[in-house]
């Protein structure tokens, strides 16, 4: 799964990352682009993340958890 996220994240950052990497602080993705990133994740994995949960998604691991929870 992390390899699939790499494909999507490559559009937003060139920083290496792990599951613990914070989207904003570590990868430098601002809140506007985090919304676009999450939208792409939803489309790519055919899932829906409740918009109320967006503010709780801080790390790459949080994204992976949401993917697993909604599958």
């Amino acid at each position: 799964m992390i390899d699939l996220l790499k494909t999507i994240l490559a559009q937003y950052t060139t920083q290496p990352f792990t599951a613990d990497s914070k989207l904003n602080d570590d990868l430098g993705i601002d809140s506007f682009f985090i919304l676009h990133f999450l939208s792409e994740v939803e489309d790519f994995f055919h899932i829906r993340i409740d918009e109320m949960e967006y503010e709780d998604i801080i790390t790459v691991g949080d994204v992976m958890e949401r993917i697993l929870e909604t599958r």
Side-chain angles (χ1 to χ4, degrees):
M1 177 181 317
I2 198 142
D3 289 334
L4 297 173
L5 285 176
K6 269 186 199 178
T7 302
I8 300 170
L9 276 171
Q11 299 173 59
Y12 300 97
T13 185
T14 57
Q15 299 294 321
F17 64 89
T18 66
D20 295 327
S21 298
K22 295 180 180 176
L23 296 171
N24 185 279
D25 295 339
D26 298 331
L27 302 181
I29 305 172
D30 67 30
S31 58
F32 177 76
F33 285 113
I34 289 173
L35 293 176
H36 284 277
F37 165 66
L38 293 176
S39 177
E40 284 192 58
V41 167
E42 289 177 318
D43 291 344
F44 191 85
F45 289 97
H46 306 287
I47 62 168
R48 286 291 160 234
I49 300 171
D50 188 313
E51 289 182 21
M52 298 299 288
E53 294 180 44
Y54 279 15
E55 64 188 40
D56 296 328
I57 298 174
I58 308 296
T59 67
V60 174
D62 293 337
V63 176
M64 293 189 308
E65 284 179 28
R66 293 314 186 285
I67 293 168
L68 292 173
E69 288 172 359
T70 57
R71 285 189 140 193

